Amino acid sequence: MTSMFLAAEASRPALLFWSQALFCLLFCAPSGCCTSCPDQCQCTNYSGATAVLCSASNLDEIPKDIPKDTMFLKLDANKITSVPNSTFRHLAHLQEIDLSKNAIEKIDSAAFKGVADGLRLLDLSGNHIQRIPKEALVNLNAMIRLSNNPWHCECTLQEVLWEVKLDPDSVNEITCQTSVQEEYAGKPLLHILDSGINFCNMHQKTTDVAMFVTMFSWFTLVISYVVYYVRHNQEDTKKHLEYLKSLPSTRVPKETISTIL
């Protein structure tokens, strides 16, 4: 009996939260009496913890009128294509952002500016992201999910993985759809890096080769010009000598001819 009573007491706060949330969804949300809520979303609030639920709402952009006290933001399963700079700058209390299963292709470098300190989870899985600026994620303390995106594997992505806190349950699902070297396309990025491959070294080698080719081209151009200049002068000298020899009334001293030659 005691254990049953303790279990019931322990579950009471959770039951109270969900019963109040259900009441808010059924009776308050349509009239806005619980909190101002974006169109096509539902909002719940319990003890100051506001959750904004916009899952599968056919949104093509992130709502701009999200309540300032929002802590949990669900935007998954929509048609959002980008995350512009400072999108969440007024949401200082955010702890979780779920942007999974959208059509996101572009994330600006300051997209998450303003929520860096308190954010605990950022879900970007299941989108169309190929590249992401390192600056967009490196200052976040949150656990980040990047799986199931068509990543282009190169130095910047490798640096992102080195500096952010990745969700360990989904890290093996970060796969290279394309790569700076075709042989790595279709392979899990973590396995590639574990094998000793360093995309940043490849980038440096490519830069070095390009610089060498450029310098060699300039050197070849200079040599070609020198050769042309010398040959052109030789031809002019011969023409001048033949002209002097052709003059009937003038004899050219041998010393002059030897000097010219």
Side-chain angles (χ1 to χ4, degrees), residues 138-154:
V138 292
N139 293 322
L140 298 178
N141 296 321
M143 183 174 294
I144 301 174
R145 294 173 183 161
L146 298 174
S147 57
N148 299 315
N149 280 286
W151 292 108
H152 176 71
C153 292
E154 36 80 40

Side-chain angles (χ1 to χ4, degrees), residues 2 14 31 37 51 62 67 86 99 108 115 146 157 168 181 198 201 211 239 250:
T2 302
S31 62
C37 196
I62 298 171
S86 303
L99 285 163
D108 290 339
V115 298
L146 298 174
L157 181 59
Q181 290 196 349
N198 189 325
N201 282 350
M211 186 177 296
K239 289 179 180 179
T250 305

